[in-house]
Each structure stands twice: as C-alpha cells, then as structure tokens.
Amino acid sequence: MKRDRISRAGLWAALVMVGLWPVAVGAEAVSLLGNAGFLPAPRAALLRVEGTGATGPSLFAGRAGAGLFAPRATPRAPALPLSGAHGAVARHLRDLIARAEAGPKGYDAVQHGARVAPPRPPTALTLAEIEEWIAATPGQPHAIGRYQVIPATLRRLARALDLEPQTRFSPAMQDRMADRLLAEAGLAAALAGRMSRADFMHNLARIWAGLPTASGRSHYAGVAGNRATMTWAQFEAGMAKILPL
C-alpha cells in the first residue's frame, strides 16, 4: 500500500510537471495547434460603434470604445505621389469615375435604392454618423458619396488611412479615399508603363460597378441592380485622354 501511494504521488507530480493536468478549475482552454501555439484560443469578437449602442462591424475596431479586438492591419498600397502631373491624372480619373457613379449630386450622392436616406447630406456627416445610419437601416443599399463607397470598403479605408471616428466625410476626404483605391488598382504601375491601360481599366471596373468591362457590362452586372452607366467605347475614350499611350 505504501509503495502504491508513492507511485500515485509520483504520477501526479509528473502530470503537473508536463502540464497534462489542469492546475485550476475553469482555466481558459488553450490551442495546441496553429499560429497561436500555446496561447489562449481566440474568442469571437463583438465590435461596437462608440455612442450608438448598436453591435456589428465597426469602422474603428481597436480604438477606445470601438471594439474588443483590432482587425489585422490592412496591407498598405504603394505611396502614390499626387502632386504635379500625377495629381492631375488622379483628378481626371476621379471625375471620370464620378460620371459613372454619382450623377449630379456628386459628393452628396446616396445610392438610389436606399429607402431611408442619411439624416443630413453625406458631406455634413462624420464617419461615425455614417456608420450609425448603416446600422439603423439594414436591408438597403448604403453606397455613399461621389465614389459610391460601400460599407465594407469604407471601413477598410478608414483603417488603412488611420481615420478618427469624427472625421467628416468631406469632399477632400472622399477624394483621398478614391486616391487610395486608385493606388490599389495600380495607378502607379499604369503611369510607369508597367500595366496596360486596358488592364488598369478592368481593375477600376472591379472597384466601381458603374464602369464597364470590355464586354460592355459591369463586372457586377445583375448583382443588387448594378449595371454599367457608360459604354466601353466611352470609357476607353475618356481613359485615352487621361492616360495616352
């Protein structure tokens, strides 16, 4: 019996030493696999927009009051020089995109399918107020502004540009967001001759549904009522003036 008690004690000590026995009841489970190694397994994140009381995706995950967990950092697009000739190219591209996307309302445009409009013109709203409008009006389109930015893209751009919740959705801010998307589409490569104009045009059409592909149809034709609002010939003629071969 004495030998048996010693054997049991030895086994107990061995289990504790190698970590195979729970030291405390209710301890958080750990993951033995994956990139986390022996760190606690991640819990599902619930993000909250500060001041709204609504749960859901947040523009500002990781900031005080905005969310429990910050998302993985958005990859940075190459820096785009927007002065001189490059700035003029970006400005002309924004004008062409706005023709396809916003119509006469320009920076204050809201997707025509939105049954409930924002409480004030978009240029008078902060990013946090836009998020409140999105959360309060589920089940309708929420593309907004001169470049008809959809919620997921707006949130991603806010993170990438490190914007504060109280940043106003001003014309200058909308242009800055559009410039970021132009950079992601490959504007620097197109300007340097490393990307063909046609490839760049197709990249733009994958971002903005109002622009056509070479087929003449929107890349998102038939999805949520999307359609190209100009022909490929019109798109090509406009681009030829901006990016001549």
Side-chain angles (χ1 to χ4, degrees), residues 107-108 119-127 129-130 167-171 174:
Y107 293 101
D108 282 322
R120 298 191 306 283
T123 53
L125 298 174
T126 65
L127 297 181
E129 288 171 329
I130 293 174
T167 300
R168 190 165 62 87
F169 196 55
S170 65
Q174 293 184 41

Side-chain angles (χ1 to χ4, degrees), residues 74-161:
T74 303
R76 297 280 179 181
L80 183 67
L82 293 181
S83 59
H86 287 182
V89 167
R91 184 171 63 255
H92 291 314
L93 285 170
R94 293 195 304 265
D95 289 344
L96 180 62
I97 292 163
R99 277 176 47 199
E101 292 288 328
K105 291 191 176 180
Y107 293 101
D108 282 322
V110 176
Q111 216 273 1
H112 63 84
R115 298 181 304 279
V116 180
R120 298 191 306 283
T123 53
L125 298 174
T126 65
L127 297 181
E129 288 171 329
I130 293 174
E131 182 72 5
E132 290 178 10
W133 167 64
I134 293 168
T137 55
Q140 70 170 22
H142 294 101
I144 192 168
R146 192 181 195 224
Y147 310 105
Q148 290 293 279
V149 180
I150 62 174
T153 303
L154 184 67
R155 293 166 186 142
R156 182 174 65 79
L157 290 171
R159 291 194 299 268
L161 298 173

Side-chain angles (χ1 to χ4, degrees), residues 24-53:
V25 175
E28 188 171 30
V30 297
S31 172
L32 300 179
L33 302 174
N35 295 333
F38 286 83
L39 296 176
R43 295 175 178 174
L46 180 63
L47 304 180
R48 181 179 299 275
V49 180
E50 186 173 12
T52 66

